[in-house]
Amino acid sequence: MSQDSTARMTAELRAWIAAAPPGAQLPSNRALVARYGASPVTVQKVMRHLIGAGLVESRPGVGTFVRAVRTARPAEYGWQTAALGSPPARVSMLSSTQRSAAPDAIGLHSGYPASDLLPERAVRAAIARAARTHAAIARSPVAGMPELQEWFAHELAEAAPAGVTPPTARDVLIISGSQSGLSSIFRAVVGPGQPLVIESPTYWGAMLAAEQAGVTLVPVPSGAFGPDPDEVDRALERSGARAFYAQPTFANPTGGQWPASTSDAVLEICRRRGAFLIEDDWAHDLAIDADPRPIAAHDDDGHVIYVRSLTKSVSPALRVAAVIARGPARERILTDRAAESMYVSGLLQAAALDVVTQPSWRSHLRALRPQLRSRRDLLLDGLREHAPTAHIETVPAGGLNLWARLPDGVDAARVVRESEARGLIIAAGDEWFPAEPSGPYVRLNYSSEAPARFGEAAQILGEVLDIITG
């Protein structure tokens, strides 16, 4: 029986239960098999779901009955106001990128690629193989599975020029997604109340992690070619900060990539000022027209703390990433991670390692480039035709997003609301700025599930902008 038929049976039984009085007896499993043409196993699965949801109860030897609904009194949580006190930092709302979309909506707001852009078969096979190994029942080492540490170290070492000592496996810490790594880095390396220089605009999750760590953000403007190194230098000097968070490769949200001259200059500034460069290489595997150039590959004296995730390129279900750091900074981050989560699931690590060490992994990455390019260009063409006032300042050479500047004076939040009312879900750009936005922006994910509807999406956006701008 198909998933659709199972869902239909569940929905119909839920509707019947909602209309039935408490204690009403449901048809027998045999009767349901006959009514729906389902197998006994499928009917049992549906009944287990209804029992688990608390809608019915099973009486062995008697039957299954509708449970009485208990009327709950309104809960009173006012006492928690005094117990919790004022929050240490502003409590942020859920990001617009994490919203759920209606099934028929065009969703360009998510920060993840569509499932057909992921190595699904390799992931499923890897999880099955990992489940048959000792990793399924063993505790992983705190710093991570040695083989996976070696793989991350080797990946970065391959980009290291002659004369630079590459990282070793011991420099690698396996973490459960880059978000947890950023939280630990900000707590362990920057510290509560201390300043952190950060690009503007930048990844909203990094700002959230910094906020939760009590870190004070010091923004510097950044664009298609990264920040002005002189601005970074002045920000470090003026604030006394000893760390700079940046995305030199296919930045989220702008898609920008630093030229080598900017990378070299910023690394030299950090060395001269005795500061850390926290390099978030989130889109390392999402290149289109240019290759990634990790700055960490040019550093062997511990100034760069490097973060690389497999979540976007392997699977969101395998939240596995790495922090590569050297010296005492590495030990502080490890201590924080151990206190926060003890260790990362060995099962997930084994599955991730299996995927990236298969010959098919490199083939997948080669095939991914033209797929991302096609979707990017398809959305770009749609915007040029139907929404020409949504200006794309940078055609990204990698990553997942287009960063669209709206006409001056337009309320980006209103554009998002009006678009959603017409079936298009996009993200307002405000949440990517650590200070006031430099203009009205929206972020559009060109790796979403519905490339065939990109023209429709652009048409909706164009209509909304035409209405708002009069």
Side-chain angles (χ1 to χ4, degrees), residues 306-331:
Y306 179 75
V307 184
R308 180 179 171 188
S309 174
L310 298 177
T311 303
K312 298 290 197 300
S313 54
V314 174
S315 169
L318 295 182
R319 289 194 59 78
V320 174
V323 170
I324 300 182
R326 308 194 198 195
R330 184 256 189 201
E331 305 308 316

Side-chain angles (χ1 to χ4, degrees), residues 55-78:
L55 300 176
V56 298
E57 59 182 349
S58 177
R59 301 172 190 170
V62 181
T64 304
F65 301 84
V66 176
R67 293 189 64 179
V69 178
R70 297 179 180 178
T71 303
R73 62 180 177 82
E76 172 54 55
Y77 302 120

